[in-house]
């Protein structure tokens, strides 16, 4: 069993969820739902049932475990305890399931917004400074200010 995420981890995930939800509302997208920390029905040879920190769904959430095809975006906040192999396994599982966008936030290194391209995630937006950056690898554009996001 993994230890519970740290307070810093949870705060960053919460801030990301709020940012994304505001962008969804600003875009007038009533067909998208922002949900924190839910199990996803994904099974790959490397990973089973990941729990992203935040997801954007293209349908109303229902049940305990959501189908992978409902994910328009998965967001992972990496903690120091996340080993590189575990990170890779999650990314592989999302790619195999066809999740179109994945964001990864490592508070020490920044945020990378990936777009799925021919079964492989390609970094489209990289946020490493305190300057606001518009994320386009997403179902809606989202303005991210890393300094505000990870200010603990």
């Amino acid at each position: 069993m993994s230890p519970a995420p740290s307070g810093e981890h949870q705060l960053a995930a919460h801030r990301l969820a709020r940012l994304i939800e505001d962008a969804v509302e600003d875009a007038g997208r009533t067909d998208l739902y922002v949900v924190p920390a839910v199990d996803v029905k994904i099974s790959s040879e490397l990973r089973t049932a990941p729990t992203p920190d935040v997801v954007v769904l293209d349908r109303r959430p229902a049940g305990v475990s959501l189908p992978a095809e409902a994910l328009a975006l998965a967001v992972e906040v990496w903690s120091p305890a996340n080993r590189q192999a575990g990170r890779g396994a999650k990314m592989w599982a999302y790619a195999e399931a066809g999740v179109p966008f994945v964001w990864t936030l490592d508070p020490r290194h920044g945020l990378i917004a990936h777009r799925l391209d021919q079964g492989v995630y390609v970094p489209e937006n990289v946020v490493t400074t305190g300057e606001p950056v518009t994320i386009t690898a997403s179902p809606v554009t989202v303005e991210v200010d890393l300094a505000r996001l990870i200010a603990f």
Side-chain angles (χ1 to χ4, degrees):
M1 177 176 246
S2 298
S6 69
E8 294 89 353
H9 176 112
Q10 295 295 70
L11 181 58
H14 173 74
R15 287 177 176 166
L16 274 168
R18 278 193 5 218
L19 268 176
I20 297 165
E21 189 163 48
D22 288 347
V24 166
E25 288 179 10
D26 290 348
R29 296 289 303 269
T30 58
D31 60 325
L32 297 174
Y33 302 88
V34 180
V35 183
V38 295
D39 287 341
V40 178
K41 294 177 190 168
I42 291 178
S43 184
S44 77
E45 58 187 72
L46 299 176
R47 182 73 192 201
T48 302
T51 304
D53 292 294
V54 179
V55 295
V56 176
L57 304 170
D58 67 2
R59 61 194 74 164
R60 186 174 297 279
V64 176
S65 187
L66 303 169
E69 59 272 8
L71 272 67
L73 167 67
V75 179
E76 290 287 348
V77 178
W78 300 137
S79 297
N82 293 120
R83 294 195 179 127
Q84 200 63 34
R87 293 177 182 193
K90 276 189 172 184
M91 296 295 285
W92 174 259
Y94 293 137
E96 271 195 339
V99 178
F101 303 105
V102 173
W103 294 6
T104 57
L105 173 66
D106 182 331
R108 297 169 300 164
H109 302 292
L111 183 142
I112 302 173
H114 305 83
R115 178 183 298 274
L116 189 62
D117 184 15
Q118 299 180 3
V120 177
Y121 285 112
V122 177
E124 183 168 310
N125 309 108
V126 179
V127 186
T128 58
T129 67
E131 299 292 321
V133 173
T134 300
I135 302 296
T136 55
S138 177
V140 297
T141 59
V142 181
E143 181 128 331
V144 173
D145 181 341
L146 189 63
R148 291 184 67 193
L149 188 63
I150 61 172
F152 306 123

